[in-house]
Structure formats: structure tokens, C-alpha cells
Amino acid sequence: MASQPPTNVGSTDSAMIHVEFTDLAILQQQQQQQDQRKTGAHEDADDAAPSVEARDPIYFGYYALLTHQQNMLIDSVRTSTYQSAIMQNHHVFQDALVMDVGAGSGVLSYFSAYAGARHVYAVEASNMARRIRQLLARTDTHNTFLKDRVTVVQSKVEDIKEELPKVDVIISEPIGVLLFHERMLESFVYARDKYLKPGGTIFPSSGSIFLSPFTDAILYTETMTKVRFWESTNFYGIDFSPLFDEAKDEYFAMPVVGHFDPKSLMAAPAAPYAMDFTTITREELLDLVIPFEWTVSYTGLIHGIGGWFDLVFTPPPIGDELGSTVSMSTAPNAANTHWQQVRFLLTEPLAVNAGDVVRGWLRCRVNAMRSYMIAGELVVNETPISDPADAGVTEALALHVEERPKWLAERVGSRRRGRWMLHEQTYAYSYQPNAATDAAFKPEFACMYPPSN
Ligand code: SAH
């Protein structure tokens, strides 16, 4: 999936610039629930997780449109990776019962049938399910290989009323920005636990998140230019400057989605944070802590953290058939996908010297916006690192309520903290991958200075 950022109804796709601001009512409701919990109401962990249901009408309304399915279908890296994973492992699909979780246009169901599946259950909650049915109603003359091979189930996978058999394979594309935005992985994991036969296969099998520090004075300056609007002391006679600090927090809390130049990275990415979809639990998905450590390659300024992911399809060996592992990357130096990459800006850059070791963590907790509140810390060299459990991620909502978060303001020279709202994505279009050729670019153009001997 994954072309959808629930709040900015638009999409993770760069063509979508429609921005709808946060639904305050939902956030305030979540804040109230958290306040109630603080005041001692006893609820189990499951109840405590903000539910996604309030957003469902907007979320599934988005996916009901052919336009948005098309947006994903034409991501050729994405679609061809799925097709390769299925066709190169047709032994896994041959005569298998398959469930396609979040079938959308049905494309993965069709690939599965093509690879020899005995039958496919195409589960789709949105009205796009009707389009799958329309396509299947024409199998006398079109796509004859699909005749009687696919059953459409229009329901959230969590709410299926009819008895469905357990399946040999679950296929799904539940991936959002930075892998987990949209919270559809929870539905994927639900389907695995309820519908997969023991020893069955889930595709994709795993995903990994990569984080790396970047420098980008232009992006920082563009962001500050927007913030500085709130410095106006005489805007049609109004002094807006009392809101300057809040504006700064809000702008810097917006993850910047877009392709960026891999040459702006100040260090090789940290060891990947791997999610094994065959074993990860829903509870684990609700509160993720992603540690990182980088040895920086350049002297310069870290303006923030860049992130991307990869996806891996690992087939189980069946008899003599070993199949092939298929993977795709959304890294800045890989072919573009509609997920692009994401950058988390720091309100104050972190100065580093080549060879410094920067350590830190991102703590990501689900919210009611089908997304995550993220808190993070970076420290240089021997500076003691704090416990992510103390990050107070839930307080991030204060950005939209009343108080300015205190946690953010705490820092000493070699420590930076940030908080970001993964649902409030903003977009960066300024980077033209072909504008600067490799030969023309030199690190010092971006104020990145390699160590001298
Ligand atoms: N599989 C298609 C569509 C991926 S987009 C493709 O690869 O092109 C994800 C789809 O999952 C959307 O159409 C969305 O409506 C659907 N979806 C999301 N959560 C769901 C859930 N819990 N149950 C059923 N469908 C869901």
C-alpha cells in the first residue's frame, strides 16, 4: 500500500500535495484518553493503544479511488519487485490457497493466480473491492486465467464475518513511509496469526529501516523561512511573534518526505533495524525503539536524520525447490519509489568532526492518526545517552494542545533532541537528481569537509 499519509490526505507520493491539517478532534480525544490513563484508570495494554478506527472513513475513502491505486501500480520498482517475488517463487504459489491482505486493485491476487495458486481470497476493506469484482465479472473474455480463481471479501481483515479457510500463503503490501506509517502492518500481523497455516509463507518476509545523518543547509533555511512568518510584529496590524516558538516546533516536527541526494549523507547508515514479519507481534509494532550509531565521515553540520527501508521476500524451500530471495531498497541511491525517503530535521544543527561517533535512538509510538509520534536523541562521542523510555512521546501532542513540550528544550552542546509527527508530512521537491553530476559535486559545496591527512 502505502501511498497514503492519513493526515495529509494526499500521499507519500510526490505528486500529491494536497495537505489536510491534523484532525484536532481526534488528537484531542487521544490526549484525553492519555490523561485519563495518567489519572489511574486501569486498562490493559491493548486498550491503551490508540485505535485507528476513527480515521477509517478517510483512509478507506482514499483507497477506494482508482487514481490512488494507479499511483501504486505505476511504481515500477514496487510492482515489479512483487511480481518477481511471486513468479520467481511460483513453487510457493503452485496449488496454494492464498490470502491477499488489502488487495486494492487486486494486482497481487492476479499475480498469485498467474503463478498457479489454487484459489485466492482478495480481502479489501474499501470500495475498491467492487472494482476487483467488476474485473472478475469479465473473465469470459478478459484475463481468462482468473476465472473462478479469486474470491473478493470486502471487509477489514480484522472484521471478516464469513468462515475462511487457513491459507498457505499471505501476500500483502502493507508498507507506508518509513515502513510503518499507516499502521497497516498491524493488519498484516493479525491476518498472519488468524489465517496462515502453520509453516505457511508470508510475503514480504521482513523489512529493515536505515537511518543516516544528513546535512542540508538549504532545507533548513527553507524551513526557517516558513517559521519566520510568525516573527511578524505587524501583520495587518497584528503581532504574531508570541507564536514564534510554537511555529518552530510545529514546522520542525513535520517529517520531510521526498527523494534526497545521497551525497548529503554525513555517515554510512547505522546497522539496519530489522522487522521480521514472520514473528513480530502487534504489541511490538505499537512502540518501537530504533537505536543507531554512526561514525561520521565529514566535519560539518548534521541538520537531521534521513530514513528509508528495504523489503525482503524469502521463500521457504519446498522439496528440491529453493526459490529465490527477492528484495528492494528505497535508499536515496536506489531507483525512486513512491515511498521516497523521509528526513527528520533538528531545530538546531549538531556540529561534528570527521571521525566522531554519534549515537542515538528514535522512539516511535502509535497514535490515532494511523501513524506514529516519534521522539529522538543524538549525542556525540562520550556524551551519556538517555533512556528512550523517558522520552515522553505522548506529550508530543502538546504541540497541538496547549503547552510547549519541555523535553524538547533540554540540551547541552553535544546532545540534540527532536520530536516528529509522522502523520504531518511535508514534501520537498527542490532536489533534482540530475542537476549536479557526480563529477561536478564536491563535498565542500555542501559544507562537508573530509578529514585532512
Ligand atoms: N495490494 C494492492 C494495494 C495495496 S494498498 C497493491 O499492492 O497494489 C493497501 C490496500 O489495503 C488499500 O487498498 C487499503 O484499502 C487496504 N487495507 C488497508 N488496511 C486494511 C485492512 N485492515 N483490511 C483490509 N484491507 C485493508
Side-chain angles (χ1 to χ4, degrees):
M1 92 184 143
S3 66
Q4 203 222 26
T7 297
N8 304 341
V9 160
S11 132
T12 61
D13 181 273
S14 62
M16 310 289 304
I17 48 171
H18 176 163
V19 173
E20 173 201 287
F21 284 99
T22 303
D23 185 334
L24 265 176
I26 293 179
L27 282 174
Q28 279 167 347
Q29 190 185 17
Q30 185 183 348
Q31 180 75 46
Q32 275 165 10
Q33 284 167 1
Q34 280 160 1
D35 292 347
Q36 279 162 9
R37 277 197 293 282
K38 269 189 224 148
T39 56
H42 291 287
E43 290 170 79
D44 63 38
D46 214 43
D47 289 340
S51 113
V52 295
E53 258 126 48
R55 295 293 299 180
D56 279 0
I58 291 173
Y59 184 71
F60 292 117
Y62 175 92
Y63 281 119
L65 294 178
L66 289 165
T67 322
H68 298 145
Q69 297 293 336
Q70 178 177 348
N71 190 35
M72 296 179 282
L73 291 168
I74 64 173
D75 177 343
S76 58
V77 172
R78 185 200 83 112
T79 303
S80 66
T81 299
Y82 271 82
Q83 189 194 33
S84 302
I86 295 170
M87 296 313 295
Q88 290 179 25
N89 294 298
H90 55 86
H91 67 287
V92 174
F93 289 80
Q94 190 66 47
D95 298 322
L97 280 184
V98 176
M99 178 181 277
D100 178 1
V101 177
S105 61
V107 62
L108 306 180
S109 299
Y110 313 145
F111 289 166
S112 303
Y114 204 88
R118 175 153 46 100
H119 202 82
V120 186
Y121 295 95
V123 181
E124 171 58 44
S126 80
N127 273 336
M128 189 49 54
R130 296 184 192 170
R131 302 287 169 259
I132 309 180
R133 287 203 177 103
Q134 280 176 307
L135 202 84
L136 295 174
R138 303 284 298 279
T139 51
D140 282 344
T141 49
H142 298 65
N143 308 303
T144 49
F145 73 99
L146 290 175
K147 193 169 174 49
D148 301 326
R149 304 271 296 286
V150 180
T151 299
V152 180
V153 181
Q154 182 169 6
S155 169
K156 282 178 78 169
V157 72
E158 294 87 348
D159 300 338
I160 296 176
K161 300 280 181 297
E162 53 264 59
E163 276 298 305
L164 295 185
K166 291 210 181 225
V167 297
D168 304 292
V169 184
I170 289 182
I171 183 121
S172 185
E173 199 274 75
I175 309 302
V177 165
L178 204 62
L179 212 54
F180 46 74
H181 173 54
E182 296 186 45
R183 295 185 58 184
M184 194 182 155
L185 286 171
E186 290 162 50
S187 304
F188 187 37
V189 161
Y190 176 94
R192 177 199 70 199
D193 293 346
K194 180 147 186 201
Y195 291 109
L196 190 65
K197 287 182 192 170
T201 303
I202 68 168
F203 266 7
S205 331
S206 64
S208 293
I209 293 169
F210 296 81
L211 301 174
S212 189
F214 69 88
T215 194
D216 193 335
I218 293 173
L219 179 66
Y220 185 92
T221 305
E222 279 173 3
T223 307
M224 274 308 289
T225 303
K226 294 177 200 162
V227 172
R228 288 195 191 286
F229 165 83
W230 297 94
E231 276 182 330
S232 318
T233 50
N234 185 5
F235 181 80
Y236 295 86
I238 312 298
D239 181 353
F240 273 132
S241 62
L243 300 182
F244 176 80
D245 285 346
E246 283 71 16
K248 190 170 179 188
D249 285 348
E250 184 176 309
Y251 271 108
F252 280 82
M254 297 173 82
V256 181
V257 174
H259 294 108
F260 62 76
D261 189 338
K263 296 191 290 296
S264 68
L265 294 176
M266 299 276 285
Y273 176 83
M275 285 194 200
D276 182 344
F277 300 141
T278 65
T279 54
I280 195 165
T281 63
R282 173 170 184 265
E283 286 62 39
E284 286 167 335
L285 286 167
L286 301 180
D287 190 352
L288 304 160
V289 176
I290 307 178
F292 52 80
E293 180 174 315
W294 308 302
T295 302
V296 298
S297 311
Y298 299 98
T299 293
L301 293 179
I302 294 175
H303 288 104
I305 303 171
W308 62 89
F309 63 88
D310 69 7
L311 271 188
V312 182
F313 302 76
T314 313
I318 299 181
D320 295 341
E321 290 273 11
L322 298 179
S324 13
T325 294
V326 172
S327 61
M328 59 163 273
S329 166
T330 66
N333 58 357
N336 290 355
T337 72
H338 79 296
W339 288 292
Q340 308 175 77
Q341 293 96 36
V342 64
R343 279 173 294 176
F344 300 106
L345 274 168
L346 296 170
T347 50
E348 179 183 346
L350 177 64
V352 287
N353 290 307
D356 280 350
V357 174
V358 176
R359 294 169 300 134
W361 44 261
L362 289 183
R363 181 167 174 212
C364 314
R365 291 192 65 184
V366 289
N367 65 16
M369 306 304 289
R370 270 198 176 265
S371 194
Y372 284 75
M373 305 305 298
I374 301 179
E377 180 172 276
L378 296 80
V379 300
V380 185
N381 294 339
E382 300 307 313
T383 312
I385 198 165
S386 68
D387 182 348
D390 298 333
V393 200
T394 52
E395 279 172 43
L397 290 173
L399 281 173
H400 277 284
V401 187
E402 266 164 21
E403 248 174 86
R404 218 177 151 225
K406 309 272 182 297
W407 181 81
L408 192 61
E410 276 173 40
R411 68 152 195 103
V412 278
S414 50
R415 181 190 311 279
R416 294 293 181 277
R417 286 169 162 176
R419 63 179 66 220
W420 300 277
M421 306 179 279
L422 192 54
H423 53 282
E424 289 291 2
Q425 294 160 12
T426 183
Y427 301 94
Y429 301 101
S430 46
Y431 167 53
Q432 299 294 331
N434 301 325
T437 64
D438 283 355
F441 178 85
K442 298 288 176 274
E444 59 272 21
F445 296 175
C447 303
M448 299 160 74
Y449 305 100
S452 56
N453 300 316

